[in-house]
Amino acid sequence: MLNQLQQYEKVPVRNRHHGFYKVTPTGIGLLCGQNSQEFLIAIDCDGYSAHAAIIAHQPLPTTVAFTSGRPGRAQYLLKLPGNTHPQLKSCKITTAPGEVLEFRGTKLPSILPPSIHPQTGYYRWLSGCRPD
């Protein structure tokens, strides 16, 4: 599939009739959870109160982080080393009306920059938080 993406900028996708059609991807997704070396967690702060709830307990370490560009919205990626972690599930905590703090665990995706965002145009890295 990677070769097709590199050569044609399209990938095959199965339709409901078990046939295939080709699409041009508009984004990149990262699946949270356990791999052979670590467990990946995404902390999704949807609103200023969600950020305040995290900081009230302990500031986040410097890590890879990104935003949709909407005010008060950001995600932070953290890893737990090793491959012996339990299957951590997602947890959502309402921190204010319309604002949520979410811990994304096993089998939950996060959409990475420069993927398209329906309201702001695209996702972007937070200043000083790019993976490179």
Side-chain angles (χ1 to χ4, degrees):
M1 188 168 357
L2 180 59
N3 289 340
Q4 289 183 3
L5 181 59
Q6 290 172 333
Q7 186 172 1
Y8 304 111
E9 297 183 359
K10 294 185 182 283
V11 294
V13 175
R14 187 181 301 269
N15 66 24
R16 65 181 181 187
H17 304 293
H18 303 289
F20 288 93
Y21 63 99
K22 293 189 178 198
V23 299
T24 300
T26 59
I28 302 166
L30 178 67
L31 192 60
C32 297
Q34 185 72 57
N35 63 36
S36 63
Q37 299 175 0
E38 62 212 7
F39 192 97
L40 180 67
I41 297 172
I43 299 176
D44 188 2
C45 295
D46 283 342
Y48 295 110
S49 65
H51 287 275
I54 285 288
I55 293 169
H57 294 285
Q58 184 173 353
L60 289 172
T62 301
T63 188
V64 173
F66 50 95
T67 181
S68 65
R70 294 175 65 197
R73 311 286 173 135
Q75 277 193 55
Y76 303 87
L77 300 178
L78 301 170
K79 64 180 181 175
L80 302 173
N83 59 5
T84 58
H85 302 287
Q87 296 300 309
L88 300 172
K89 305 269 185 207
S90 180
C91 174
K92 288 185 181 184
I93 302 164
T94 300
T95 55
E99 298 187 2
V100 176
L101 173 61
E102 180 179 8
F103 297 90
R104 292 184 176 179
T106 302
K107 296 184 181 178
L108 288 175
S110 286
I111 307 302
L112 300 176
S115 302
I116 291 175
H117 186 275
Q119 295 174 337
T120 62
Y122 62 94
Y123 289 88
R124 50 197 67 73
W125 300 110
L126 291 178
S127 179
C129 297
R130 293 176 55 98
D132 55 355

